Amino acid sequence: MNSPTEIRCEEKSRGGMCYEVILAEPSADKPTPTTTSPRPKSMTAEEITQKLLQAEERRKSMEASRLASVGERLTRLEEASRKREETNAAFIAATQTALEDKLDTTSSNREAYLNGLRAKISDHLNNVESVRKQLDAQTDELRQTIEDKLRSAEENRNENMGKMLEKLKDHEEYAQKVRLGHEEAIRQLEERIQAKLEIAEANRETEIMKKLETLREHDRRAELVRANKERLMAAEKHETASSG
């Protein structure tokens, strides 16, 4: 009597099937039933091999599909990373251009400011020179008046001369005070101009340092994004290697 054959099937991995064939021992002491139920159709070795080959094909197909999906994900990640790098490069270039433009503008404004201050100093010096000329003219006029009065009043010459000389002395002292006052004003103006120039230079250097710090911070963030991308790609490769 032929031994009954039992075939069990279970899924061992994604896309693959495992078949277990169990051959039962013949049982001589069991009574032969009067009516026999139809036995399950036994599978031949060729059929089992065919099913195993089909299961292997399905497994390979699913594995290829999964690898294609992983490859597509990696492609999307690489594309996203490339776009981020392009965006970062564009941002850095735009920031550098804006910084250079701002520095050029600051330099132009500083030059215009210095030109304005030079013009003011020139006008002030011209005014001082004009006042000096007026004082010199007044001194000459006063001297001429003194000489005229001395000639017209010989009898009071000594007294009048003393008074006029005193007035001339007072006038010269006043002119000297005015001249010294203008020189002091010029000196103070030059000190204020120098202080403003130093403040403007310090502010310019501070602005440059802020912009450079912004660029360095942006580079650090870009490096962090690049490191995260590399870790993700390494994890995906490790997962693919483990699944294979």
Side-chain angles (χ1 to χ4, degrees):
M1 183 178 61
N2 293 332
S3 299
T5 301
E6 181 181 357
I7 298 176
R8 298 178 182 176
C9 176
E10 60 177 331
E11 184 179 357
K12 299 297 288 183
S13 62
R14 287 178 290 182
M17 302 291 290
C18 178
Y19 291 91
E20 181 179 3
V21 180
I22 300 175
L23 300 176
E25 294 293 335
S27 179
D29 55 349
K30 290 183 180 180
T32 301
T34 56
T35 58
T36 59
S37 58
R39 296 180 180 178
K41 183 180 179 181
S42 61
M43 298 180 64
T44 63
E46 182 180 356
E47 291 175 339
I48 293 173
T49 301
Q50 184 66 26
K51 288 185 177 291
L52 291 176
L53 289 175
Q54 291 176 356
E56 181 66 18
E57 289 295 328
R58 287 195 299 273
R59 186 188 69 78
K60 290 182 178 180
S61 177
M62 293 181 66
E63 185 70 18
S65 177
R66 189 171 68 84
L67 290 176
S69 177
V70 171
E72 184 178 355
R73 286 184 60 191
L74 290 176
T75 301
R76 288 199 299 268
L77 288 174
E78 291 175 355
E79 181 66 19
S81 176
R82 184 183 63 78
K83 289 183 179 179
R84 281 195 300 271
E85 291 179 355
E86 290 178 354
T87 302
N88 292 336
F91 174 78
I92 292 174
T95 303
Q96 291 177 344
T97 301
L99 178 59
E100 291 173 357
D101 292 341
K102 188 168 184 178
L103 292 178
D104 291 340
T105 302
T106 302
S107 177
S108 299
N109 293 338
R110 179 171 175 270
E111 188 65 26
Y113 178 74
L114 291 177
N115 291 333
L117 290 178
R118 293 190 187 99
K120 288 182 180 179
I121 293 174
S122 178
D123 293 340
H124 186 74
L125 292 176
N126 291 333
N127 291 333
V128 171
E129 183 66 18
S130 177
V131 171
R132 187 188 66 78
K133 289 181 179 180
Q134 290 178 3
L135 290 174
D136 291 342
Q138 290 175 2
T139 301
D140 293 339
E141 184 179 351
L142 182 58
R143 184 180 292 107
Q144 185 65 39
T145 302
I146 292 172
E147 290 175 357
D148 292 342
K149 287 185 178 182
L150 286 175
R151 284 192 297 269
S152 63
E154 184 65 28
E155 65 278 4
N156 296 324
R157 179 176 178 276
N158 293 330
E159 181 180 359
N160 291 334
M161 182 179 290
K163 292 180 180 179
M164 293 299 175
L165 290 175
E166 186 66 23
K167 288 182 179 181
L168 179 60
K169 181 180 178 181
D170 293 340
H171 184 75
E172 289 177 347
E173 290 176 354
Y174 172 74
Q176 182 66 19
K177 289 180 180 180
V178 171
R179 189 178 296 109
L180 291 176
H182 285 301
E183 291 176 354
E184 179 63 19
I186 292 173
R187 186 186 64 80
Q188 292 178 358
L189 180 60
E190 290 176 346
E191 291 178 353
R192 289 196 297 272
I193 291 172
Q194 184 63 30
K196 288 181 179 180
L197 291 176
E198 292 175 354
I199 292 173
E201 185 67 21
N203 292 336
R204 177 175 174 270
E205 293 178 356
T206 301
E207 186 67 20
I208 291 174
M209 293 302 296
K210 287 181 179 179
K211 293 296 183 180
L212 292 177
E213 183 61 26
T214 300
L215 289 176
R216 285 194 289 268
E217 181 65 22
H218 186 77
D219 288 339
R220 287 195 293 269
R221 292 181 180 176
E223 184 62 27
L224 181 60
V225 170
R226 191 177 300 108
N228 290 334
K229 183 200 75 172
E230 291 176 355
R231 285 198 296 270
L232 179 59
M233 291 179 66
E236 290 288 346
K237 290 179 179 179
H238 179 72
E239 181 183 354
T240 303
S242 298
S243 299

